[in-house]
Amino acid sequence: MPLNALGRDIPAFIEGYGKVKPYRGAFALQPSGNVVGPRLRVTNADRTDKVLPDLKAAIAASGLKSGMTISFHHHLRNGDYVVNQVIDACAEMGIRDLTLFPTALFGVHKHLIDHIQSGVVARIWGSVNGPIGQIVSAGGLGEPAVLRSHGGRPRAIMCGDVHIDVAFMAAPSCDRYGNMNGVQGPSACGSLGYAFTDCQYADCVVAVTDNLVPYPNAPISINQTCADFVVAVPSIGDPAGIVSGTTKVTRDPLRLLIARYASRLIEASPYFQTGISFQTGAGGIALAVTAFMKDAMLRKGIKGSFGLGGITSYFVDLLREGLVDKLLDVQSFDLGAVRSIAADPRHVEISADMYANPWNRGAAVNMLDVVILGATEVDRDFNVNVNTEADGALLHGIGGHQDTAASAKLTIIAQPLLRGRIPCVTDTVYSVTTPGECVDAVVTEYGITVNPRRADLVEACRGIRDVPVISMDELADKARRMSGPMDPVETTDRIVGVIEWRDGTVIDVVRQLKKK
């Protein structure tokens, strides 16, 4: 088998995926050619109402047939009802062999397992969390799941790697001509950032709403020029499902210590100055870092420029208190953020393309000073795994991990050294999601570990009092001593998951787990 630039064994051709472009380096591949486009459409003045009676009527009108590709967005996260409703309707209409191209699937989509087993769903090109990830890991999906980052997904659409036949958009508010927003209605989810590119490039767009309002709907996030049909359903989802356990500040003393260490590293870095921009995500440690940074900014009179990415109430508080000027929101992570983006013009909705696409004229992640990220594993070369657990199960998506790590001036992985007796720092990660060349520091409860590539940070850490600095080899050795020997993951040769780097090259693959 050929090796990619990280030394991972990747076949030149993967059944169900195709010819492989091996990962060559974080910025090695340059684009060529042109942006693709959707099919031309015409809607004259004799058609001023796009509403159809139900989902089956919209599916029939869209021309959706067996073997086609359909897309969804996940802003309602574990509260989404639209994916299941659409696939149920497809199954009842005899449509099979579909490729699902969601931004992510959650536990609420466990319902799809029956449709995978019956052949209605043949492929999934998107993040597979929870039960769908489990069935993929066990070999229950006919072809490999393909995982892309939040920036890699719009890149794949715009360069033609993926063509969407029909996009189904969960629209919390929509008028009869297809103007949508995510900030009004009983299922308001805030930003619709992941859906913008789908609506621009799909051959057909079906807006699914539970809040049909008079024309013109306002504010407009996705406008009528992108929508072909509108369907009203009793409910598109439960906004309470947006919030998960990972969107709350940790109360665990060990994790709070890690957050404090990470905050101290940021303070010591050259980026902690007026105008600093940052993304901290929604994990418990990351949110605690946000709280510590707030204290440090108040203490030192530092005012930031913008917060980016998935936005939480903690970021909204920074905006309201004048500690950042703007929020750029691709995904509202809780109901406080939903209310904020609806009311505050400084809280700005952005597309996934603007957020993180590596092949446009400049993504927002390029303007990022600091990002705090998590991991399931980090290895001695600072390579990061966020997709698989220690048992090899494919249970998590990439999110914006690759995009922000590659682009931010300071990328910090904050995590405990062990989870239970499972080491989070290892000799070699089971799956590579983000290459070590994009990671600047790892922070654990044992202190700060700086990538030797960043000699400036090594020097900056010398000025941090009361925070240990530990080398990666020392950290990995400590983890090994504490965890003891680990049983190797047993897999078959069959590839069940393909992890793409944000430029479309393959950075790693995931193999089917052996039955125990």
Side-chain angles (χ1 to χ4, degrees):
M1 287 186 180
L3 301 178
N4 67 13
L6 293 177
R8 312 297 285 197
D9 287 343
I10 313 284
F13 183 90
I14 298 174
E15 196 66 43
Y17 176 79
K19 186 177 179 182
V20 169
K21 291 182 288 186
Y23 172 80
R24 291 160 30 191
F27 306 99
L29 186 63
Q30 295 298 310
S32 60
N34 296 87
V35 172
V36 300
R39 183 177 301 167
L40 282 169
R41 297 277 189 176
V42 59
T43 302
N44 293 322
D46 58 350
R47 183 177 176 236
T48 59
D49 190 337
K50 299 179 182 176
V51 175
L52 294 176
D54 53 37
L55 278 173
K56 288 184 180 177
I59 291 168
S62 73
L64 181 64
K65 296 180 175 59
S66 296
M68 286 188 168
T69 299
I70 57 178
S71 78
F72 302 90
H73 65 100
H74 76 274
H75 292 93
L76 281 159
R77 291 163 62 88
N78 206 37
D80 172 75
Y81 295 167
V82 171
V83 174
N84 292 344
Q85 291 182 64
V86 169
I87 302 303
D88 281 350
C90 288
E92 291 169 12
M93 296 171 71
I95 298 172
R96 299 170 55 82
D97 192 33
L98 290 170
T99 299
L100 257 61
F101 185 50
T103 47
L105 295 174
F106 290 85
V108 71
H109 301 119
K110 181 180 180 181
H111 181 75
L112 295 179
I113 291 175
D114 287 345
H115 294 306
I116 292 171
Q117 292 172 337
S118 69
V120 175
V121 175
R123 290 159 292 277
I124 299 174
W125 297 343
S127 296
V128 284
N129 301 291
I132 303 296
Q134 289 283 8
I135 194 171
V136 171
S137 300
L141 187 66
E143 297 184 5
V146 182
L147 278 69
R148 298 182 173 90
S149 71
H150 286 332
R153 187 177 184 277
R155 178 210 56 77
I157 298 170
M158 295 167 70
C159 77
D161 286 356
V162 175
H163 175 76
I164 303 171
D165 293 298
V166 185
F168 291 90
M169 294 296 103
S173 183
C174 186
D175 63 37
R176 303 181 77 88
Y177 218 45
N179 294 297
M180 304 173 234
N181 72 55
V183 300
Q184 297 167 334
S187 305
C189 60
S191 175
L192 295 179
Y194 300 133
F196 278 68
T197 307
D198 297 46
C199 290
Q200 289 174 326
Y201 289 87
D203 276 346
C204 182
V205 174
V206 177
V208 184
T209 188
D210 54 8
N211 187 41
L212 192 62
V213 300
Y215 181 90
N217 187 27
I220 299 173
S221 292
I222 297 171
N223 73 54
Q224 61 195 46
T225 64
C226 295
D228 293 273
F229 305 106
V230 177
V231 174
V233 296
S235 178
I236 63 169
D238 177 5
I242 297 172
V243 183
S244 73
T246 61
T247 53
K248 297 175 183 176
V249 170
T250 181
R251 294 184 178 179
D252 182 290
L254 183 144
R255 285 171 166 76
L256 285 171
L257 179 66
I258 296 168
R260 188 172 72 81
Y261 285 171
S263 178
R264 298 280 285 126
L265 173 59
I266 296 169
E267 281 187 70
S269 78
Y271 314 112
F272 192 68
Q273 57 185 340
T274 292
I276 185 174
S277 58
F278 50 95
Q279 175 173 328
T280 57
I285 293 175
L287 291 176
V289 174
T290 309
F292 283 122
M293 282 188 65
K294 175 182 173 181
D295 292 342
M297 293 170 79
L298 288 170
R299 190 171 64 251
K300 296 190 175 181
I302 298 293
K303 182 179 177 182
S305 56
F306 70 93
L308 179 65
I311 298 298
T312 63
S313 293
Y314 302 97
F315 254 128
V316 171
D317 289 343
L318 294 180
L319 179 69
R320 289 175 176 166
E321 295 175 31
L323 293 174
V324 294
D325 289 332
K326 301 285 192 307
L327 299 178
L328 302 181
D329 187 343
V330 72
Q331 178 181 15
S332 306
F333 264 135
D334 59 33
L335 300 184
V338 173
R339 289 189 289 271
S340 172
I341 198 172
D344 193 332
R346 300 172 300 170
H347 188 157
V348 181
E349 181 182 36
I350 63 170
S351 69
D353 173 35
M354 176 177 170
Y355 169 51
N357 182 352
W359 285 359
N360 60 23
R361 292 175 174 84
V365 290
N366 296 346
M367 306 297 287
L368 205 51
D369 288 322
V370 178
V371 64
I372 304 292
L373 297 167
T376 56
E377 297 176 305
V378 181
D379 69 21
R380 290 179 188 266
D381 294 322
F382 289 82
N383 297 316
V384 179
N385 172 20
V386 300
N387 294 121
T388 51
E389 295 284 351
D391 61 1
L394 181 59
L395 294 180
H396 310 287
I398 298 172
H401 202 283
Q402 296 177 344
D403 308 300
T404 52
S407 304
K409 296 179 180 66
L410 173 58
T411 297
I412 299 172
I413 306 298
Q415 61 174 34
L417 186 61
L418 285 83
R419 292 188 177 93
R421 66 173 289 269
I422 306 298
C424 299
V425 177
T426 66
D427 293 338
T428 304
V429 292
Y430 181 73
S431 302
V432 180
T433 309
T434 298
E437 67 176 292
C438 298
V439 175
D440 299 308
V442 175
V443 178
T444 68
E445 67 272 33
Y446 293 94
I448 298 169
T449 303
V450 178
N451 191 327
R453 291 169 174 265
R454 291 297 305 264
D456 59 327
L457 284 182
V458 174
E459 184 62 31
C461 284
R462 299 187 199 283
I464 304 177
R465 293 179 297 175
D466 70 11
V467 179
V469 177
I470 182 169
S471 75
M472 179 55 83
D473 285 338
E474 290 175 309
L475 196 63
D477 291 344
K478 184 183 288 289
R480 181 187 289 175
R481 287 196 301 272
M482 294 173 69
S483 66
M486 301 296 295
D487 295 331
V489 176
E490 294 188 2
T491 67
T492 69
D493 290 335
R494 183 178 174 228
I495 293 173
V496 296
V498 176
I499 303 171
E500 287 192 356
W501 178 238
R502 59 199 298 251
D503 64 5
T505 57
V506 175
I507 194 165
D508 212 344
V509 295
V510 180
R511 290 182 167 80
Q512 180 178 333
L513 296 176
K514 279 187 177 177
K515 290 183 180 178
K516 294 181 180 177

